[in-house]
Amino acid sequence: MNLNETIQPLQTTAVDRLRVQIYENRQQMGNAAGSHVAGKMKELLSTKSRIRMVFAAAPSQNEFLQTLKSSEGIDWSRVTVFHMDEYIGLSLDAPQRFGTFLCERLFDEVKPGEVHLIDSSGNIDEECLRYAGLLGEAPIDIVCLGIGENGHIAFNDPPVADFNDPMLVKSVELDLPCRQQQVNDGCFATLQDVPTHALTLTIPALCSGAHLYCMVPGKTKTAAVRRTLNGSISTECPSTVLRTHPDCTLYVDTDSYGGELE
C-alpha cells in the first residue's frame, strides 16, 4: 500500500512559506508524514551517496516513526542520523533519555550507517563542541521535528531561543512549561523528576536542514499551533521561525489544528 497515495489531508494551506497539512487524526497524520519523509529519503539517495538527518524524540513522533521504519526501499546504510536534544543529569540507562527513545523506536531496527548520539554525561562544553563538529561536517538534508506546548523546537524554549544563535549546540535551562509538558506526556511522574537542564541543537542548526518535516498532533498542542500560524515571528513563540524556512511542512491533526476547516 502506498500511503502517499491513499492518505490525503482534509485540507492544505500555507502561512508565509510554511506548508500546512491537516489530517483527520494523529494516525493518518503520522502515516502521511512517514510516507513523505521516506519518499524524500529515497529521492535524495538516488542522487547522493549519503544523506544526513536529525530526529526529534517525543510521543508526538510515534506514529511517524512507526511508519518510517516500516517503509521499504530505503538504504539506511547510507544514512547518518543525529538527534536534537538530550537531558543533563539523567543516568545513561534512564528510559527518558532521548537517544534511548530513538534507538528503541527507529535506529536499532533500521540500522543507519552512522548514529551520532548526544552524550550529556561528561563535560558539557566539550560535548557541545564535539556534537557541533559532527553536525558541521556536511549539510543536513532532512530534519524531523515537533513543536512543544510553549512553542519550542528542540529545547529552544522562549527564554533561550535565538534565531541568530552563533552556536550549533548549547546547554540550556528548561522553561517551566517545557518541564511540565514532560509530565503531561507521561514521560515523568512528577515535575520534580524532570531535569532542569539539557543540551539542544540551536534554531540555526535546525533551520540549516534542506527539508523540514514537523509533526504536531493532539489537543495539548492547539495553542502552540495557533501561535505558530497566526502570531508574529519572534522568539516568544520559537516555532514561528518555521514560517521563514524555504521547505518546511507542518503536519497536524484536527485536534492540534483546532480551527474551522474550509
Side-chain angles (χ1 to χ4, degrees):
M1 180 176 68
N2 188 327
L3 294 173
N4 198 13
E5 293 179 355
T6 59
I7 299 178
Q8 297 298 323
L10 296 175
Q11 182 176 316
T12 61
T13 186
V15 180
D16 297 322
R17 304 173 86 176
L18 178 64
R19 296 184 299 273
V20 184
Q21 297 191 0
I22 307 157
Y23 291 85
E24 179 69 33
N25 54 59
R26 65 183 295 154
Q27 187 64 58
Q28 291 186 8
M29 183 212 76
N31 288 352
S35 177
H36 296 166
V37 171
K40 179 59 70 174
M41 292 175 68
K42 287 183 274 191
E43 174 191 325
L44 294 173
L45 286 167
S46 70
T47 60
K48 303 181 68 168
S49 60
R50 299 193 65 82
I51 62 172
R52 291 155 57 84
M53 300 179 66
V54 177
F55 288 91
S60 64
Q61 308 297 297
N62 284 343
E63 293 82 6
F64 156 68
L65 292 172
Q66 179 65 41
T67 301
L68 183 61
K69 74 179 180 183
S70 302
S71 300
E72 298 179 352
I74 300 172
D75 183 0
W76 282 95
S77 70
R78 294 193 284 135
V79 182
T80 298
V81 297
F82 301 85
H83 62 124
M84 56 185 59
D85 42 22
E86 188 59 89
Y87 293 114
I88 295 172
L90 283 184
S91 64
L92 290 176
D93 60 353
Q96 296 95 340
R97 289 182 68 88
F98 293 138
T100 300
F101 179 100
L102 285 168
C103 285
E104 292 177 347
R105 287 164 177 78
L106 183 65
F107 300 160
D108 288 350
E109 297 194 41
V110 301
K111 294 180 170 47
E114 294 183 50
V115 177
H116 296 300
L117 301 181
I118 299 171
D119 180 3
S120 58
S121 64
N123 183 291
I124 297 303
D125 291 338
E126 291 179 1
E127 179 60 9
C128 289
L129 291 173
R130 182 191 75 88
Y131 210 70
L134 292 169
L135 287 165
E137 286 179 353
I140 298 296
D141 297 289
I142 296 174
V143 176
C144 304
L145 69 158
I147 295 173
E149 293 176 17
N150 65 352
H152 73 222
I153 51 177
F155 268 146
N156 295 282
D157 290 329
V160 299
D162 184 350
F163 291 167
N164 299 299
D165 207 306
M167 305 175 70
L168 293 178
V169 183
K170 67 181 181 181
S171 61
V172 294
E173 181 175 359
L174 301 179
D175 203 13
L176 183 60
C178 170
R179 295 177 63 224
Q180 182 61 49
Q181 179 186 325
Q182 312 310 314
V183 180
N184 298 346
D185 285 347
C187 300
F188 293 88
T190 69
L191 182 65
Q192 288 69 35
D193 296 329
V194 183
T196 58
H197 291 74
L199 291 177
T200 185
L201 271 63
T202 61
I203 290 175
L206 298 173
C207 289
S208 73
H211 311 283
L212 271 56
Y213 298 84
C214 185
M215 286 63 76
V216 191
K219 290 182 178 180
T220 61
K221 301 295 181 68
T222 305
V225 169
R226 184 175 294 118
R227 291 184 69 194
T228 300
L229 299 179
N230 302 317
S232 60
I233 297 174
S234 81
T235 55
E236 292 183 7
C237 181
S239 54
T240 55
V241 76
L242 300 177
R243 286 162 39 198
T244 70
H245 192 275
D247 186 17
C248 181
T249 302
L250 174 65
Y251 296 83
V252 295
D253 61 6
T254 53
D255 283 339
S256 60
Y257 184 64
E260 294 293 326
L261 299 177
E262 295 178 359

